[in-house]
Amino acid sequence: MTVNDDSFTNWKHREEIAESMIPIIGKLHRERDVTVLLHSRSLVNKSVVSILKTHRFARQIAGQELSITETLPFLQALTTLDLGPSQIDLALLAEAYKADDRGLTVEQFTAEAVAGAIGANKAERSEGRDVVLYGFGRIGRLVARLLIEKSGSGNGLRLRAIVVRGGGDQDLVKRASLLRRDSIHGQFQGTITVDEANSTIVANGNEIKVIYANDPSEVDYTAYGIKDAILVDNTGKWRDREGLSKHLRPGIDKVVLTAPGKGDVPNIVHGVNHDTIKPDEQILSCASCTTNAIVPPLKAMADEYGVVRGHVETVHSFTNDQNLLDNYHKADRRGRSAPLNMVITETGAASAVAKALPDLKAPITGSSIRVPVPDVSIAILSLRLGRETTRDEVLDHLRDVSLHSPLKRQIDFTTAPDAVSMDFVGSRHASIVDAGATKVDGDNAILYLWYDNEFGYSCQVIRVVQYVSGVEYPTYPVPVA
């Protein structure tokens, strides 16, 4: 047998194992509200090849490939337990088990590691929470995809309606088509049908009412059977408390804005300050994509080294706010053709840091350049630290944060020397540390942070919605604080 034959035989064997994992992962999700993760990446509804690639990707963050033969026994052990709603990371289980020297079996160790999700300790299954999307643009459609993806168990967030302005003939069909196919993010994973008679889009069995209105005051959501819903405003038209309060109509309990809030509206970056949301708070903001990208690594650096001052320069993909060709725009430069120019513009991300990290007294400045790419941006975070350090120490710290800390869903880490922006389309993290580009000299550090300003940000929005809805379940093993 040749070496190539050996490699192919090994691949086929790993394919077989991945195939055996899929029904286990699906059953745990549907019947028990358990989401199986691998280094914070969900394995629910993933293909054989996707599961294998996720295992191999561990090289980029943990330094070595994770074998599927290592994780399968832990997945099998989960099926023997009386699990409640939770998220369980197989990679962290396998890693912790290797470091444990007590001689426990996989079954014993797994039961101990996820004890908080077993038997009398397990969380109650949620009855679900209605969600309404106000606006159906780039972020609205991605949030819709994520809500539909996460509705598999039937006990989480339920997308009940979207509110849009009337668009003329074939409006419903065209909006469904934009949900079904996306030039950047690809095909919708599932089936979509349109019921024009009832103004409804049915996506993977989720009946989504399309409500036409020009103003929030025109809608009574209880007329559609919607109650205690969380409304996600994707329009950015209203950004202060007075304007967003217009959404607090019959059937709506809370309003979440997908843009920086103004005035006393809390700006929330999940993973950093979501636990400061007051239970009775009805209006909050998820800040901007760039704020979500820089605040988690900024916190990670401040906690470990201290930060004296900083500057963030974002090289940002163009957005719908810009013009395809030169035309009038109320901003100074954004009227110039987005696909043809680099456009210097302002960013509110630096000033928004103060809202998300009020204990950080260091001044943070910022600016932005819009460039001719449709998605994925990079934030260059230049920091004066509170003490001297080395490049290796900083990278080890950020790698550890991405794997084991409460910020592991926000911060990802890559050592790929050939990575470029399109490689991060579809990333679910708020930002990805590019290890190869990182620069450290004494008390100065420069971090290069990739982020999918559409999809990664939408994932952060969903996490905030899950938190305020009460359907964000605990993760095991518990991350180290």
Side-chain angles (χ1 to χ4, degrees):
M1 182 177 287
T2 67
V3 173
N4 286 339
D5 287 336
D6 284 340
S7 297
F8 185 67
T9 299
N10 178 264
W11 170 260
K12 300 299 288 183
H13 176 60
R14 289 187 291 141
E15 273 191 324
E16 184 179 1
I17 294 175
E19 286 174 354
S20 73
M21 296 176 80
I22 290 173
I24 301 174
I25 294 167
K27 188 173 183 179
L28 285 170
H29 183 60
R30 288 191 307 274
E31 297 183 1
R32 305 192 196 181
D33 265 5
V34 173
T35 300
V36 177
L37 309 172
L38 198 77
H39 284 313
S40 300
R41 291 163 169 78
S42 173
L43 298 183
V44 177
N45 291 329
K46 295 297 187 290
S47 67
V48 167
V49 171
S50 179
I51 291 173
L52 292 174
K53 285 182 68 175
T54 304
H55 278 77
R56 183 163 177 76
F57 187 76
R59 291 187 314 155
Q60 296 295 329
I61 45 180
Q64 59 184 0
E65 185 171 346
L66 183 65
S67 171
I68 198 166
T69 59
E70 293 180 72
T71 58
L72 177 62
F74 294 95
L75 180 62
Q76 292 171 328
L78 293 177
T79 65
T80 68
L81 303 174
D82 180 24
L83 283 171
S86 55
Q87 300 184 96
I88 299 177
D89 197 311
L90 298 182
L92 297 188
L93 278 174
E95 183 180 87
Y97 183 66
K98 282 183 182 179
D100 190 84
D101 59 3
R102 294 174 295 165
L104 299 178
T105 65
V106 167
E107 291 76 14
Q108 291 169 331
F109 182 84
T110 302
E112 179 181 278
V114 302
I118 298 174
N121 295 326
K122 64 186 181 183
E124 294 294 324
R125 296 188 75 178
S126 169
E127 294 182 359
R129 189 70 175 269
D130 291 352
V131 178
V132 172
L133 299 180
Y134 198 97
F136 206 51
R138 298 298 303 157
I139 300 302
R141 291 194 296 274
L142 291 176
V143 169
R145 285 188 174 201
L146 287 164
L147 288 168
I148 294 163
E149 170 193 296
K150 295 179 181 297
S151 66
S153 67
N155 295 287
L157 301 171
R158 301 175 301 203
L159 177 55
R160 296 293 307 279
I162 62 173
V163 183
V164 294
R165 289 176 293 185
D169 293 341
Q170 296 286 294
D171 181 271
L172 199 63
V173 172
K174 291 176 180 178
R175 293 187 188 277
S177 179
L178 286 169
L179 179 61
R180 184 182 292 113
R181 301 179 185 89
D182 190 279
S183 300
I184 296 169
H185 301 283
Q187 297 273 351
F188 174 80
Q189 297 300 304
T191 63
I192 294 176
T193 58
V194 175
D195 182 352
E196 290 190 86
N198 293 301
S199 191
T200 299
I201 295 173
V202 182
N204 290 358
N206 295 267
E207 295 188 0
I208 307 161
K209 192 74 175 180
V210 179
I211 302 169
Y212 293 98
N214 294 314
D215 188 84
S217 63
E218 299 177 10
V219 188
D220 177 354
Y221 295 95
T222 59
Y224 303 95
I226 296 169
K227 61 180 181 179
D228 298 324
I230 299 171
L231 183 143
V232 181
D233 184 328
N234 307 291
T235 68
K237 183 176 181 180
W238 304 278
R239 292 170 58 186
D240 59 13
R241 187 172 296 275
E242 180 182 1
L244 292 168
S245 293
K246 296 179 180 180
H247 290 303
L248 295 174
R249 304 281 299 154
I252 302 300
D253 179 55
K254 295 181 184 294
V255 179
V256 175
L257 171 66
T258 63
K262 294 183 177 180
D264 67 342
V265 174
N267 279 265
I268 303 301
V269 175
H270 190 277
V272 175
N273 68 335
H274 66 276
D275 56 356
T276 65
I277 301 173
K278 298 175 181 177
D280 60 350
E281 179 61 75
Q282 289 189 288
I283 295 174
L284 53 94
S285 156
C286 290
S288 70
C289 57
T290 302
T291 303
N292 276 264
I294 66 172
V295 165
L298 181 56
K299 174 176 169 54
M301 294 296 286
D303 288 349
E304 181 67 18
Y305 304 103
V307 171
V308 177
R309 64 174 178 268
H311 176 80
V312 60
E313 190 76 35
T314 68
V315 182
H316 199 291
S317 57
F318 60 74
T319 68
N320 270 332
D321 174 67
Q322 296 171 255
N323 293 330
L324 284 173
L325 296 172
D326 289 4
N327 206 347
Y328 173 81
H329 195 291
K330 63 181 181 181
D332 290 336
R333 306 183 201 238
R334 293 196 194 186
R336 302 299 296 278
S337 172
L340 298 177
N341 293 289
M342 292 189 292
V343 179
I344 298 174
T345 186
E346 72 285 344
T347 175
S351 59
V353 168
K355 278 193 170 185
L357 289 174
D359 293 336
L360 182 69
K361 304 306 180 184
I364 306 293
T365 58
S367 53
S368 180
I369 303 172
R370 297 286 179 89
V371 295
V373 296
D375 186 31
V376 180
S377 304
I378 191 166
I380 305 168
L381 185 59
S382 181
L383 302 175
R384 172 81 179 274
L385 303 178
R387 66 175 174 88
E388 292 193 354
T389 182
T390 65
R391 182 174 181 272
D392 287 345
E393 184 186 346
V394 168
L395 290 178
D396 285 345
H397 171 60
L398 292 174
R399 179 190 287 108
D400 186 65
V401 167
S402 75
L403 289 171
H404 303 117
S405 81
L407 291 171
K408 65 182 182 179
R409 286 200 289 171
Q410 282 70 45
I411 300 176
D412 204 0
F413 189 92
T414 182
T415 58
D418 54 353
V420 294
S421 60
M422 287 300 289
D423 295 328
F424 303 102
V425 171
S427 170
R428 295 177 181 240
H429 288 78
S431 61
I432 306 100
V433 176
D434 191 312
T438 301
K439 294 174 174 57
V440 179
D441 182 10
D443 60 356
N444 290 297
I446 303 175
L447 307 183
Y448 287 74
L449 307 166
W450 298 101
Y451 58 109
D452 185 331
N453 49 277
E454 293 187 335
F455 196 75
Y457 175 68
S458 296
C459 289
Q460 283 287 89
V461 172
I462 288 291
R463 290 170 189 138
V464 171
V465 174
Q466 286 179 311
Y467 181 80
V468 299
S469 71
V471 298
E472 183 182 51
Y473 299 130
T475 300
Y476 297 95
V478 177
V480 178

